[in-house]
């Protein structure tokens, strides 16, 4: 199974800050990497898929980059609505696997 | 536009079988473009993929659950189902059903989730 490791597990940042979250895969996932945002009590929503493709309706302050085994989700200017837990997920091979999550808090 | 809705018992006894159904509306589970999957989340924990099914008959399962889980598709009812046998308290979770377009590799439509508690 491909293991997905996210860091950090918690980010506390102020409105307007640049926030970066990293996801590392135990082997190459090519470009099959998705980022989700989940808010308490809700289902996750896609933010970025295929490493860097912004989901429709997601603000352009979100961006994704990386290849192979190391990937990054960046929020260029953190906004109050960006709080929540962010997960990466690989689709390179079954079984599908998620990262452990990064909780983004607004200071 | 597609909506998914989970249904099933909210309380299951230890050692018994958990059975959930996901009903699709506004779209068809017969489409070969998509996988249909189940994901769960234990209280305060992260997301855990359970498995996916496809109209071709292909099914894929989480390695740690493979011996206890099965997922099936019922195109006549536009539903897909999850069965998890021999449950324990560790299976207490919110269970989500979701759609995954094979061309995108992302679960792009989710049900609202259903809470299942395993307790006697």
């Amino acid at each position: 199974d491909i293991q997905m490791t996210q860091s950090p597990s918690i980010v506390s940042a102020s409105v307007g800050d640049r926030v970066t979250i990293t996801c590392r895969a135990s082997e190459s996932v090519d470009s099959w990497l998705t980022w989700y945002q989940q808010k308490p009590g809700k289902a996750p929503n896609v933010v970025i898929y295929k490493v860097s493709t912004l989901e429709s309706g997601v603000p352009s302050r979100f961006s994704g980059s990386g290849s192979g085994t190391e990937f990054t989700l960046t929020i260029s200017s953190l906004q109050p609505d960006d709080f929540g837990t962010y997960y990466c997920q690989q689709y390179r091979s079954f079984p599908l696997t998620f990262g452990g999550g990064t909780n983004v808090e607004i200071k | 536009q597609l909506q998914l809705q989970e249904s099933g018992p909210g309380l299951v006894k230890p050692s018994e079988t958990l059975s959930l159904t996901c009903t699709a509306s506004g779209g068809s589970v017969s489409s070969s473009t998509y996988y249909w999957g189940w994901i769960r989340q234990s209280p305060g924990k992260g997301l855990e993929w359970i498995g996916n099914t496809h109209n071709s008959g292909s099914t894929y399962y989480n390695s740690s659950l493979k011996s206890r889980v099965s997922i099936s598709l019922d195109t006549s009812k536009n539903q897909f189902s999850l069965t998890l046998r021999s449950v324990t308290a560790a299976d207490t979770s919110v269970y989500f059903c979701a759609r995954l377009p094979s061309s995108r590799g992302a679960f792009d439509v989710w049900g609202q989730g259903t809470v299942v508690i395993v307790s006697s």
Side-chain angles (χ1 to χ4, degrees), chain A residues 1 32-34 36 38 41-46 48-50 55-56 87 89-91 94-100, chain B residues 35 39 41 45-49 52 60-64 96 100-108 110-113:
Chain A
D1 298 5
W32 294 108
L33 193 284
T34 297
Y36 299 89
Q38 186 182 31
K42 300 293 188 181
N45 289 310
V46 176
I48 299 275
Y49 64 95
K50 287 176 116 175
E55 177 72 331
S56 175
Y87 295 92
Q89 172 242 315
Q90 66 82 19
Y91 177 65
F94 289 105
L96 305 184
T97 42
F98 288 91
Chain B
Y35 288 96
I39 301 100
Q41 188 168 35
K45 302 296 185 183
L47 300 169
E48 180 182 28
W49 176 75
N52 276 22
Y60 304 91
Y61 299 123
N62 183 311
S63 302
S64 65
F96 297 99
L100 187 149
S102 55
S103 63
R104 299 174 73 203
F107 290 101
D108 66 343
W110 295 67
Q112 65 185 25

Side-chain angles (χ1 to χ4, degrees), chain B residues 33-102:
Chain B
T33 305
Y34 307 110
Y35 288 96
W36 305 93
W38 289 94
I39 301 100
R40 70 180 183 179
Q41 188 168 35
S42 301
K45 302 296 185 183
L47 300 169
E48 180 182 28
W49 176 75
I50 299 171
N52 276 22
T53 190
H54 187 269
N55 191 40
S56 66
S58 300
T59 53
Y60 304 91
Y61 299 123
N62 183 311
S63 302
S64 65
L65 298 172
K66 186 183 287 191
S67 63
R68 299 193 291 131
V69 69
S70 60
I71 296 174
S72 60
L73 201 63
D74 187 337
T75 56
S76 67
K77 295 181 179 178
N78 215 28
Q79 296 175 337
F80 58 105
S81 299
L82 168 69
T83 300
L84 183 64
R85 297 172 289 277
S86 304
V87 298
T88 70
D91 295 310
T92 293
S93 292
V94 177
Y95 286 77
F96 297 99
C97 61
R99 181 184 80 173
L100 187 149
S102 55

Side-chain angles (χ1 to χ4, degrees), chain A residues 22-103:
Chain A
T22 297
C23 177
R24 289 186 174 88
S26 60
E27 61 186 85
S28 175
V29 299
D30 297 329
S31 296
W32 294 108
L33 193 284
T34 297
W35 291 98
Y36 299 89
Q37 177 196 57
Q38 186 182 31
K39 297 198 174 180
K42 300 293 188 181
N45 289 310
V46 176
V47 178
I48 299 275
Y49 64 95
K50 287 176 116 175
V51 177
S52 60
T53 304
L54 198 65
E55 177 72 331
S56 175
V58 173
S60 59
R61 62 181 177 272
F62 289 89
S63 63
S65 64
S67 64
T69 62
E70 187 153 338
F71 303 91
T72 300
L73 174 70
T74 299
I75 309 172
S76 61
S77 177
L78 191 68
Q79 299 301 303
D81 191 49
D82 298 338
F83 77 93
T85 304
Y86 292 79
Y87 295 92
C88 60
Q89 172 242 315
Q90 66 82 19
Y91 177 65
R92 171 61 180 83
S93 63
F94 289 105
L96 305 184
T97 42
F98 288 91
T102 296
N103 187 19

Side-chain angles (χ1 to χ4, degrees), chain B residues 10-29:
Chain B
L11 180 64
V12 181
K13 290 182 168 54
S15 80
E16 294 192 345
T17 297
L18 180 161
S19 296
L20 297 175
T21 296
C22 184
T23 301
S25 57
S28 174
V29 301

